Structure formats: C-alpha cells, structure tokens
Amino acid sequence: MPLICLGLEGTAHSFGAGIVSGDGTVLSNVWDMYSPPTGGIHPREASRHHSDVGPTVIRNALERAGISPQEINLIAFSRGPGLGPCLRTTATIARTLALRLSVPLVGVNHCIAHIEIGCLESAFEDPVTVYVSGGNTQIIAYAGKRYRTFGETLDIAVGNMLDSFGRAVGMRFPAGPEIELKAEKASSYHQLPYSVKGMDLSYSGMLTAARKLHSEGTPLSEICFSVQETAFGMLAEIAERAIAHTKKRELLLTGGVARNDRLTDILKGVANRHDARFHRVSPPLAGDQGAMIAWTGVVQHRAGDSLKISDSHVLPKWRTDEQDIVWREVDG
Ligand code: AMP
Ligand code: MG
C-alpha cells in the first residue's frame, strides 16, 4: 500500500492540512489563516480558530486529494515550536485521528518542516537555509546530525517586525505584501539601526526607529524602502557568512517572508558570489501549511521515528537544533 500522510500544521495563526504521498507528491494543501480584526495574534483566539475550522480544512484536504480517510496511513502534526494553545489544539486533532484510523503518529518540528519541504521542491541536498516568517528568523545549516542555527533574531522575527510596523501605520495584517508594494515606489533611503551582532540580528530597534520616522512625517513609501533594504541587508550578511563558513553550495529561502521579491534578489546575489545554487520556496509551500508537516512526517517515519500517544505532548520551545536528524545521509 502506498504511504499517504496527512500533516496538520497549527503552530500560530494558520491551521493547515496537507496530504503527501511517499514519493513526495503533494496531493492537497489546504489552510485557513486567523487574522485578528485589530491588534496582534491572541494565542487563545487563534487556538479557537483552529478548533473551529479544523474539521472543514481536513475534509477539504481529503476531497481535493480525492482520497478517503481510510487511505491515510500516517498522521503527522506540528509539535512545536509555537503558541501553546494552538499546538495543543492541533495535537489533540492529530491524536484523535491517529487513534480513530489506527495509524502511526509522528511529531514534526515546524522549522525543520520548512527546510524539508524546501529540499523536496528544489532537490537540494544540503543547503544553508534562510527561514524568515512571522514568528521565526533563522539561518540554518546541517552539521553533525543536527540542523544548526547559525544565526537568529535576538528579539522579534523579521515578519513580526514588518507586521507590527504595518499595524502602527494603519495597514492590515499581514503587512509584508503591502510594505513590499510601497517600497517599490521609493528610492530615498533613511538611516535605520542595522543590528547584526556576531551571527545574530535584532529588529526591535528598527521597528521603533521606523515608527519614529512615520511620526515625523517621512513618506511611507520611503520608510518601507528603508526598512526592507536594512532588514534584508542584515539577513544577507549573515547568510553570506554562513555560506562562506560552511562552504555549502546551496542557499534556500523559505518561510512567509520568502514571498518578497526584493529579499529574493538580494539573496540570489549572495548565492552567485559564492557559486551556490539558489532556490526560493514557491509561495504555496513557503508559509505555514500542512504539506510541509506531512512530507517531514514521511521522511521521519521512513527513518523509524514514531510517537506514542502517551508521549505526544507538545513542545512550544522546541529548538531547531534539538532534534537528531536521523533521515539524512549527507554529513555536513
Ligand atoms: P508565515 O509566518 O510563514 O505564515 O509567514 C507570514 C509572514 O510573512 C507575515 O509576517 C507576513 O507579513 C510575511 N509576508 C508575506 N508576504 C510577504 C511579502 N511579500 N514580503 C514580506 N513579508 C511577507
Ligand atoms: Mg513558519
């Protein structure tokens, strides 16, 4: 019987269900995003959203894949990192389905899933990964059986910085796309804090400074341009150092902020300078969704990984480098 995995994603604002077969074909990938009318994401409200939309999202995923629940023979879920209430709701749905269908359960690290789906799409074997989203900003590379975080944000994620700035100036959540459009209309640069500390970076000072520019009447398009150039320049510096240090020949851009064309161009330049291949994960697979969880579930399951229901508590602070990567053959 072919392996068919249902993957459930629910670490933060989105609830997703993806169905992926053992050969890496994405049969369906459905998600629904919670978008608060005002303010940021409240974990309890987001988890209520997940339990409200969960059954419909899963049903739609099955319908689009054209398969019956009985054809699913593996359930994977996002075990962490993420918001506790959201993770628990998603884990409860996953456990219930695994018990009901009598199939194995696999717990997947959300950040690692972003890398694995990127590797599936690009056929990359051993990339330096720039993972940029609403909740995470990490530069990751494989070494010694773990995905090592070479650099990360010390405070807020780059997507969170864009969304918070957007909210302060009256944009809707998520603000990244609108900031990108506005930035294309400007070319005047205003100085903003460029905070790279070793291999880590910080975005909170930039957020404060950008809001100050706005209160002083600087044209919004010019602030958006300056925010993008500074924030993405910082990422490029760290990615370049990671490539130079590891001598890897592939650079992968993933996460919701990977949808940004300017960031893509900047990182392409980095890859070119180091003779590395570059891949930006395609928009449907770049943000938070279930297909990445399903595919990572497949590779973990093949490597013999499975989770007893009684051990399947969620891990809200699960770091990328805390999991032994038992399924990779290369040793970086
Ligand atoms: P994720 O957390 O992976 O679902 O990604 C959501 C994040 O991606 C939010 O912070 C969005 O603002 C951001 N985002 C989406 N599209 C773009 C874009 N075109 N440019 C910059 N950020 C974006
Ligand atoms: Mg994510």
Side-chain angles (χ1 to χ4, degrees):
M1 202 164 57
L3 189 58
I4 297 190
C5 181
L6 168 66
L8 301 182
E9 157 59 35
T11 53
H13 49 61
S14 295
F15 183 83
I19 299 177
V20 175
S21 61
D23 64 359
T25 308
V26 177
L27 301 171
S28 66
N29 198 18
V30 180
W31 66 88
D32 191 287
M33 188 172 131
Y34 166 70
S35 179
T38 55
I41 300 169
H42 190 296
R44 198 187 53 224
E45 299 295 324
S47 72
R48 190 170 301 153
H49 161 268
H50 295 0
S51 56
D52 286 347
V53 305
T56 311
V57 168
I58 293 168
R59 208 172 298 125
N60 288 345
L62 286 165
E63 258 169 36
R64 277 189 212 171
I67 59 165
S68 69
Q70 286 67 34
E71 288 173 275
I72 300 285
N73 41 29
L74 183 64
I75 303 278
F77 72 104
S78 54
R79 196 179 179 195
L83 305 172
C86 300
L87 292 172
R88 284 191 286 276
T89 299
T90 307
T92 304
I93 300 174
R95 286 182 204 115
T96 309
L97 285 171
L99 283 171
R100 180 71 208 267
L101 299 171
S102 301
V103 299
L105 182 69
V106 179
V108 170
N109 180 297
H110 173 93
C111 306
I112 290 175
H114 274 292
I115 304 173
E116 292 299 341
I117 196 75
C119 287
L120 173 69
E121 191 182 61
S122 59
F124 280 2
E125 288 185 351
D126 188 22
V128 167
T129 301
V130 177
Y131 166 36
V132 277
S133 70
N136 292 284
T137 299
Q138 301 180 355
I139 314 291
I140 306 159
Y142 181 79
K145 294 281 168 220
R146 297 266 172 119
Y147 282 118
R148 310 281 168 185
T149 310
F150 275 72
E152 65 191 317
T153 179
L154 296 169
D155 42 49
I156 54 174
V158 62
N160 187 357
M161 183 273 292
L162 295 172
D163 295 333
S164 301
F165 173 70
R167 192 181 322 128
V169 302
M171 293 178 188
R172 269 193 65 81
F173 174 84
E178 193 174 339
I179 291 174
E180 178 171 21
L181 281 178
K182 287 222 161 26
E184 281 165 11
K185 299 192 177 73
S187 53
S188 296
Y189 181 77
H190 300 265
Q191 190 83 38
L192 288 168
Y194 181 99
S195 290
V196 170
K197 302 172 186 197
M199 286 296 280
D200 293 325
L201 24 82
S202 151
Y203 283 117
S204 59
M206 179 183 306
L207 175 59
T208 308
R211 291 180 66 161
K212 183 157 177 284
L213 284 177
H214 184 252
S215 69
E216 290 165 356
T218 308
L220 190 51
S221 57
E222 292 177 11
I223 309 176
C224 291
F225 173 78
S226 308
V227 162
Q228 285 205 159
E229 294 307 301
T230 315
F232 300 160
M234 287 159 55
L235 280 168
E237 180 184 333
I238 298 185
E240 181 147 19
R241 227 180 284 143
I243 288 255
H245 174 81
T246 61
K247 301 194 168 50
K248 294 195 192 279
R249 287 280 164 268
E250 297 158 345
L251 182 62
L252 181 69
L253 172 60
T254 190
V257 185
R259 299 198 175 102
N260 190 287
D261 288 340
R262 178 62 184 140
L263 175 60
T264 302
D265 281 348
I266 292 174
L267 291 181
K268 256 186 207 160
V270 170
N272 282 343
R273 278 198 292 284
H274 291 266
D275 265 342
R277 292 195 294 145
F278 175 81
H279 182 77
R280 177 232 305 244
V281 176
S282 64
L285 296 177
D288 292 351
Q289 31 70 35
M292 68 178 189
I293 304 296
W295 171 243
T296 311
V298 166
V299 293
Q300 284 183 224
H301 175 73
R302 286 227 179 95
D305 188 21
S306 81
L307 194 57
K308 281 203 293 204
I309 299 275
S310 54
D311 294 340
S312 64
H313 56 277
V314 300
L315 301 170
K317 298 209 181 296
W318 198 8
R319 287 183 54 86
T320 307
D321 50 17
E322 278 174 349
Q323 184 175 20
D324 280 327
I325 308 302
V326 289
W327 58 87
R328 292 188 79 87
E329 279 160 23
V330 288
D331 200 13

